[in-house]
Structures are given as C-alpha cells and as structure tokens.
Amino acid sequence: MIVAYMLIRAKHGKLKIVSSKLKEYPEIEEIHEVYGRFDIIAKIFVEDEISLKQFIQNKIFIVEGIHDTETLLVYDNLS
Amino acid sequence: MIVAYMLIRAKHGKLKIVSSKLKEYPEIEEIHEVYGRFDIIAKIFVEDEISLKQFIQNKIFIVEGIHDTETLLVYDNLS
Amino acid sequence: MIVAYMLIRAKHGKLKIVSSKLKEYPEIEEIHEVYGRFDIIAKIFVEDEISLKQFIQNKIFIVEGIHDTETLLVYDNLS
Amino acid sequence: MIVAYMLIRAKHGKLKIVSSKLKEYPEIEEIHEVYGRFDIIAKIFVEDEISLKQFIQNKIFIVEGIHDTETLLVYDNLS
Amino acid sequence: MIVAYMLIRAKHGKLKIVSSKLKEYPEIEEIHEVYGRFDIIAKIFVEDEISLKQFIQNKIFIVEGIHDTETLLVYDNLS
Amino acid sequence: MIVAYMLIRAKHGKLKIVSSKLKEYPEIEEIHEVYGRFDIIAKIFVEDEISLKQFIQNKIFIVEGIHDTETLLVYDNLS
Amino acid sequence: MIVAYMLIRAKHGKLKIVSSKLKEYPEIEEIHEVYGRFDIIAKIFVEDEISLKQFIQNKIFIVEGIHDTETLLVYDNLS
Amino acid sequence: MIVAYMLIRAKHGKLKIVSSKLKEYPEIEEIHEVYGRFDIIAKIFVEDEISLKQFIQNKIFIVEGIHDTETLLVYDNLS
C-alpha cells in the first residue's frame, strides 16, 4: 500500500469548495484545513504507485479551486 | 482572546483595493503595507478560535484582489 | 482537543535519530518520513492549546538533530 | 518615525532565549511567538532609517540563537 | 536618494512585454532578465521614500503581465 | 554546448497538456513528471547561450498551462 | 526501476567536496553543478523503492558538507 | 562579458564581515545591503563563464560568514 500526504493551497476564497469535493474521495483517508502556508493537508491511501498517479491525474486535477498541490510520498513503511 | 498575524500577498496592482477593504473590518486591529516578500501585514484580534475561523471564511475569502494569505497564530499569550 | 501537523526538516544525516526520538512521544499520534521539501510529517494530538505550547517547548525543542519545524494548526474540527 | 516588522526564525530549541532577549529592547514595541513558518513576529518602532539600521546591526546581530530575520519596512504611513 | 532592487516574476510568456514597459521608466536605472527563481532584476533610483511608494503604486501596479514583485530597499548608503 | 535544467510548475490540472507539448521539442533531451514542489523536470541541451535564450522565449513562453519555470544553468562542464 | 532527482544545497564553500563524493556513487547516473537556488542536481537510478530509501539513508546521509536535499520521485515511467 | 547578480544571506550577525570582504573583490561591480529576504545583493562582472565559475569557487566559497548564495545569470545582453 502507498501512503502520501498532499499539501494543498486553494485559490483565494475557494477553500470550502475544494475541501468539500476532496472529502468525497475514498482515496483520501483524512483531510484537514490548517492555518499557515498551506490551506489543506490530505492523507492519501492507495493500492500502489500507479493508483496514486491515476488518483492525482483523474481526481485531483479536475478539482477546480485548487491553486497548487505538493505531494509528499511516505517511504518509512517500506521494509 | 485570540491574536493572529496575517501575511497577505495581493494580486499585482490590487494592493490599494485590498488594503482599503481590510481596513473596514473591526477584527483587524492594525494593518500595514510593507516592502518585501509580502504586501500587507494585518494583526487580527478576535474573541476565540471559532471567531477567527469565521472571520477568515466569511470576511477574508470574499475580498477580491487577494492572491494568498498566511495566518500565523500567536500562542505566547496563553498561560 | 487540538490537532496539529508538524512539518519537520532534520539536519543532514540526522533523520533516523530525530524520527526515533519523536516516535516515543504519546502526543504524536502518527509520524512518517517523506520525500520532498520536508523530511518528516508528524500529527500531534493534545488536550488543548496550552498542552500544544508546552509539548513544543518541552519536548520538541530538546530533540537534537532537528533543523526546523513548521506547525500547522488544524481548525476545521472547531464548530 | 519608522515602523518595521521583523519575521524571525530561531535556531531549533532557542526560541525562549531569543524571545526573552528581544523583549528587553525598547525599539521593539510588540513581540509575539507564532505557529507557522516563522517563530517570532516583532514590531519595531524607531526614530528614523538610520536608527533602524543601527538597531539591527548593534542589537539584533548580537542576539545568539537567531537563525535568520526578514525585515519588512512599513511604508503606508508615509504621506 | 533612495535605491531599491525589485525582483520581478512575470506571468508565463509575458516577460518581453513587462521588460519593454519597465525600460521606459526613468526611475529604473538598470534592468536585466535573469535565469533562476526570478525573471527580472530592476534597480530603482528615486528621490525619497515617498517617490518610491508613488513609483510602485502608480507605475509598477499598472504594468500588465507582472505576476509579483519583491522590493529590497538598500540601506547601506545611509550614514 | 549548453546544458540547463528547468523546474516547471504547471497550472492546476494542466500537467499532461504541458508535458505532451514539451516532449515534442528536440531541445529537451529528457523530461519527467515528479512528485513534490515542482511538477516537471526537463533537461535542456542546446548549442550555445543564445540558443537557450531563444528556446525559452520562442518555445517555452508559448506553452499554455505552465504556471512558472525556474532555469538552472549547468556550469560544471566548463573547463 | 526507480528514477529520482535530488536537488542539493551544499554548505557554503563545500560544493566541490560534496560533488566529488557523490560522483563516486553508481546509483547517481548523472550529476551537475548549477547556478540558482540549488547547487547540485543529481539523477538517481536504483532498482526499487527500498533501494532508494537505503541509498539515501546509507550513502547520502553520510556525506558531510551537504546542507539539505530535496528528492523528487519520477512517476511518469509507471504504466 | 558576463553579468550576474548574487543574492546573499549572511549567517546571523556576520553581515558586516561578509560585506567588507566582498567589497575588496574587483569582480563585484556593485554591492548593497538590503532589507527583506536576502541580506546582500552583489552585481558581478567578469570576462566569461569560466571566470564566473572560478570567481565563485575561488573567491566566494572562502568567505566565512556567508550562509548561502543564489546566482542569477543575466542573459538579456546576449544578441
């Protein structure tokens, strides 16, 4: 299984729309709005790397109101 | 009471419009235009965390001309 | 309850030491090493804001090998 | 009069020492510890630009435990 | 006299338009397109701080094609 | 010969369009989509500095869907 | 196979030492010193994700003179 | 001829030492201390790219008190 965190900045004023949309995705195990340099932290949990790639391209890229995303892949669960 | 600083970048050319609008809000105790990486520093003073959340979502998000904001929550007044 | 995410950059070569130490803290509910601009993401779960402040000052500041931390306070669980 | 904000990052673990030292300076009108990308926000209030320059070089540069500072000069009080 | 450097990022594809427009301003003593994180460095030379403020608000803000600017005020010529 | 790396951030949702377009250019020797703070890394290989300048202005600037680029010029092949 | 790019910043003055050391590693397929925000770009080519993790922890972390690294994992070769 | 700008951050408290040292170099045509995210801007003027490379490696890298530098190569003088 693959775990990744996504740091998301919404376009100004679009936080709630982005946040609501992302909450519908089963690939996002946990999601929070935060204060600071980023607006949203999402924890992604998918089957494998191809699923992660497809999730980003098919489900994240279509969400309007996102300014940019930064994906941090977790690797400490590898053994 | 909750104190927070907001570092604001305006869209190019929109500084005065943003600045004027923000000055109308009683939650902003102090606001300045600055040189450097950010355009505006605003000091926010609200009743509690829920008020801060509502202020950002209801009053900051509707201000057109803002590119992005970064909220720095003050915690040294906690005891 | 207060939830916060901490984005941590370790000093070069100190990642495993930092990571091991942080895993001992009960306030850290979840912690992962990640690829990208940050080295570690930690999810913090504490009683209240004063506990968060004390946790950072008493337990994070003493961990050698940390270069810097950036705390992102979660606020969407407020109602 | 000159007003400037200083965004300060302390070396890991040195926040309280830096903060205490800065609070002794009369040029710093207000100072807060904050969550996020910076550790401290200080509001500086001095006579003129030369005083600001001297304050930074003579009083800020000698404070051990500071990692870096970013000075944002306020200009909206000019008329 | 006041000297300042402005680090400018143009919107994608707008570099030449921005650059041409800025070269018309007598307040810009020197201007160069550069490789790296910024697109243009401009050296500004004006009478005093009020002139700098007015230059930015009246002449920089109207230039279309600029994404953002970061003004670095020179202070070592103060004595 | 001149070698440079370009770190590219696409506008949200435009990664595949940008990526496809860039792959057509013979000046781009290698190109990859990556996780993290940037979306694409491209290795550019051109005759000389003037070719690099022209490539950026004539072929990169016209690609819609790019948010920004950061060009890192390789210099260790100089002797 | 796994491909990743590593953006490396050396401690001031340590670029040549870092660069020489990294060139000895067979996992680094290509490495260049660059102008700009980063000092070195290295292209890493390893068997699988576990090899990448071990390479970073066993071979990168021991290189003195590195300030920090940012690993960008390539994913477009997945199918 | 090659022109480049170097954005320099000094280690905390070391600005004057760095600044004095750099002023001795004939390759630095102009140098200023600035407020903001960087501490010093230096304009470098050298014969060719090899001279720039050698200047950085032989004269900049030996200056103690520099935290990091970011070199922005000017290319608009190419024709």
Side-chain angles (χ1 to χ4, degrees):
Chain A
M1 299 301 290
I2 293 283
V3 179
Y5 284 88
M6 194 174 275
L7 304 171
I8 300 164
R9 293 193 301 164
K11 286 178 187 158
H12 184 67
K14 301 295 181 192
L15 178 58
K16 298 313 291 182
I17 293 168
V18 170
S19 192
S20 303
K21 182 68 191 163
L22 295 179
K23 280 170 184 162
E24 295 172 7
Y25 291 150
E27 294 87 347
I28 296 183
E29 198 187 77
E30 191 174 1
I31 178 166
H32 290 295
E33 296 166 30
V34 293
Y35 291 129
R37 192 164 24 152
F38 306 100
D39 299 315
I40 295 171
I41 289 194
K43 184 183 175 187
I44 300 167
F45 193 74
V46 288
E47 186 70 20
D48 52 26
E49 290 226 25
I50 294 172
S51 310
L52 178 59
K53 179 186 172 179
Q54 289 172 341
F55 171 65
I56 293 175
Q57 286 174 1
N58 300 336
K59 295 196 166 175
I60 295 295
F61 282 2
I62 59 163
V63 179
E64 287 183 51
I66 291 181
H67 184 277
D68 58 55
T69 64
E70 184 172 339
T71 302
L72 306 171
L73 209 67
V74 169
Y75 64 90
D76 59 0
N77 47 356
L78 297 172
S79 58
Chain B
M1 298 300 290
I2 292 283
V3 180
Y5 283 88
M6 194 176 273
L7 304 171
I8 299 164
R9 294 193 302 163
K11 285 179 188 159
H12 183 67
K14 301 297 181 191
L15 178 58
K16 299 312 292 182
I17 293 168
V18 170
S19 193
S20 303
K21 182 67 193 166
L22 295 178
K23 280 171 183 160
E24 295 171 8
Y25 291 149
E27 293 87 348
I28 296 184
E29 198 187 77
E30 192 173 0
I31 177 166
H32 290 295
E33 294 166 30
V34 292
Y35 290 130
R37 190 162 28 149
F38 306 100
D39 300 314
I40 295 171
I41 289 194
K43 183 184 175 187
I44 299 166
F45 194 74
V46 288
E47 186 69 21
D48 52 26
E49 289 226 25
I50 294 172
S51 309
L52 178 60
K53 178 185 171 180
Q54 289 172 342
F55 171 65
I56 293 175
Q57 285 174 1
N58 300 336
K59 295 196 166 176
I60 295 295
F61 281 2
I62 59 164
V63 179
E64 287 183 51
I66 291 181
H67 185 277
D68 58 56
T69 64
E70 184 172 338
T71 302
L72 305 171
L73 209 68
V74 169
Y75 64 89
D76 59 1
N77 46 357
L78 297 173
S79 59
Chain C
M1 299 300 291
I2 293 283
V3 179
Y5 283 87
M6 195 176 272
L7 304 172
I8 300 164
R9 293 193 303 164
K11 286 179 187 158
H12 184 67
K14 301 296 181 191
L15 178 58
K16 299 313 291 181
I17 294 168
V18 170
S19 192
S20 303
K21 183 67 192 165
L22 295 178
K23 280 171 183 161
E24 295 172 7
Y25 291 150
E27 293 87 348
I28 296 183
E29 199 188 77
E30 191 172 2
I31 177 166
H32 290 295
E33 295 165 30
V34 293
Y35 290 129
R37 190 161 32 148
F38 306 100
D39 300 314
I40 294 171
I41 290 193
K43 182 182 175 188
I44 300 167
F45 194 74
V46 288
E47 186 70 20
D48 52 25
E49 290 226 25
I50 294 172
S51 309
L52 178 60
K53 178 185 173 179
Q54 288 172 343
F55 171 65
I56 294 175
Q57 286 175 1
N58 300 336
K59 295 196 165 176
I60 295 294
F61 282 1
I62 59 163
V63 179
E64 289 184 49
I66 291 180
H67 184 277
D68 58 56
T69 64
E70 185 172 338
T71 302
L72 306 171
L73 210 67
V74 169
Y75 65 88
D76 58 0
N77 46 358
L78 295 173
S79 59
Chain D
M1 300 300 293
I2 293 284
V3 179
Y5 283 87
M6 194 175 275
L7 304 171
I8 299 164
R9 293 193 302 164
K11 286 179 188 158
H12 183 68
K14 301 295 182 191
L15 178 59
K16 299 313 290 182
I17 293 168
V18 169
S19 192
S20 303
K21 182 67 193 166
L22 295 178
K23 279 171 184 162
E24 295 173 7
Y25 291 151
E27 293 87 348
I28 295 183
E29 199 188 77
E30 191 173 0
I31 178 166
H32 289 296
E33 295 165 31
V34 292
Y35 290 128
R37 192 162 30 149
F38 306 100
D39 299 315
I40 294 171
I41 289 194
K43 183 183 175 187
I44 300 168
F45 193 73
V46 288
E47 187 68 22
D48 52 26
E49 289 227 25
I50 295 173
S51 308
L52 178 60
K53 179 186 171 179
Q54 290 173 343
F55 171 65
I56 293 175
Q57 285 174 2
N58 300 336
K59 295 195 165 175
I60 295 295
F61 281 1
I62 59 165
V63 179
E64 288 183 51
I66 291 181
H67 185 275
D68 59 55
T69 65
E70 184 171 339
T71 302
L72 305 171
L73 210 67
V74 169
Y75 66 88
D76 58 0
N77 47 356
L78 295 173
S79 57
Chain E
M1 299 301 292
I2 293 284
V3 179
Y5 284 88
M6 195 175 271
L7 304 172
I8 299 163
R9 293 194 302 165
K11 284 177 189 160
H12 184 67
K14 302 295 181 190
L15 178 59
K16 299 313 290 182
I17 293 168
V18 170
S19 193
S20 303
K21 182 67 192 166
L22 295 179
K23 279 171 184 161
E24 296 172 8
Y25 291 149
E27 293 88 346
I28 296 184
E29 199 188 76
E30 192 173 1
I31 177 166
H32 290 296
E33 294 164 31
V34 293
Y35 289 129
R37 191 162 30 149
F38 306 100
D39 299 315
I40 295 171
I41 289 195
K43 183 184 175 186
I44 301 167
F45 193 74
V46 288
E47 186 69 22
D48 52 24
E49 289 226 26
I50 294 172
S51 309
L52 178 60
K53 178 186 172 179
Q54 289 172 342
F55 171 66
I56 293 175
Q57 285 174 2
N58 300 335
K59 294 194 166 178
I60 295 295
F61 281 2
I62 59 164
V63 179
E64 288 182 50
I66 291 181
H67 185 275
D68 58 57
T69 65
E70 184 172 339
T71 303
L72 305 171
L73 209 67
V74 169
Y75 64 89
D76 58 1
N77 47 358
L78 296 173
S79 59
Chain F
M1 299 301 292
I2 292 284
V3 179
Y5 284 88
M6 194 175 274
L7 304 172
I8 299 164
R9 294 193 301 164
K11 285 178 188 157
H12 184 67
K14 302 296 183 189
L15 178 58
K16 299 313 290 182
I17 293 168
V18 170
S19 193
S20 303
K21 182 67 191 164
L22 295 178
K23 278 170 185 162
E24 294 172 8
Y25 291 149
E27 293 88 347
I28 295 183
E29 199 188 77
E30 191 173 1
I31 178 166
H32 290 296
E33 294 164 32
V34 293
Y35 290 129
R37 190 161 32 148
F38 306 101
D39 298 315
I40 295 171
I41 289 194
K43 183 183 176 188
I44 301 167
F45 193 73
V46 289
E47 187 67 23
D48 51 26
E49 290 226 24
I50 293 172
S51 310
L52 178 60
K53 178 185 171 178
Q54 290 172 343
F55 171 66
I56 293 175
Q57 285 173 2
N58 300 336
K59 295 195 166 175
I60 296 295
F61 282 1
I62 59 164
V63 180
E64 287 183 53
I66 291 182
H67 184 276
D68 58 55
T69 65
E70 183 171 339
T71 302
L72 305 171
L73 209 67
V74 168
Y75 65 89
D76 58 0
N77 48 357
L78 297 172
S79 60
Chain G
M1 299 300 291
I2 293 283
V3 179
Y5 283 88
M6 195 176 272
L7 304 172
I8 300 163
R9 294 193 302 164
K11 286 178 187 158
H12 184 67
K14 302 295 182 191
L15 178 59
K16 299 313 291 183
I17 294 168
V18 170
S19 194
S20 304
K21 183 65 193 165
L22 295 179
K23 280 171 184 161
E24 295 172 8
Y25 291 149
E27 292 88 345
I28 295 183
E29 198 188 76
E30 191 173 1
I31 176 165
H32 290 295
E33 295 165 30
V34 292
Y35 290 129
R37 188 159 34 146
F38 306 100
D39 299 314
I40 295 170
I41 290 194
K43 183 184 175 187
I44 300 167
F45 194 75
V46 288
E47 187 68 22
D48 52 25
E49 289 227 26
I50 293 172
S51 309
L52 178 60
K53 178 185 172 179
Q54 289 172 342
F55 171 66
I56 293 175
Q57 285 173 1
N58 300 336
K59 294 195 166 177
I60 296 295
F61 281 1
I62 59 164
V63 179
E64 288 183 49
I66 291 180
H67 184 277
D68 58 57
T69 64
E70 184 172 339
T71 302
L72 305 171
L73 209 67
V74 169
Y75 65 89
D76 58 1
N77 47 357
L78 296 173
S79 58
Chain H
M1 300 299 292
I2 293 282
V3 179
Y5 284 88
M6 195 175 271
L7 304 172
I8 299 163
R9 294 194 300 164
K11 285 178 188 158
H12 184 67
K14 300 297 181 190
L15 178 59
K16 299 313 291 181
I17 293 168
V18 170
S19 193
S20 303
K21 182 67 192 166
L22 295 178
K23 280 171 183 161
E24 295 173 7
Y25 292 149
E27 293 88 346
I28 295 183
E29 200 188 74
E30 191 173 0
I31 177 167
H32 290 295
E33 296 165 29
V34 293
Y35 290 129
R37 191 163 28 151
F38 306 100
D39 299 315
I40 295 171
I41 289 194
K43 184 184 175 187
I44 300 167
F45 193 74
V46 289
E47 188 67 22
D48 52 25
E49 289 226 26
I50 294 172
S51 308
L52 178 60
K53 178 186 172 180
Q54 289 172 342
F55 171 66
I56 293 175
Q57 285 174 3
N58 299 336
K59 295 195 166 177
I60 295 295
F61 281 1
I62 59 164
V63 179
E64 288 184 49
I66 291 180
H67 184 275
D68 59 57
T69 65
E70 184 171 338
T71 302
L72 306 171
L73 210 66
V74 169
Y75 66 88
D76 58 1
N77 48 356
L78 296 172
S79 59

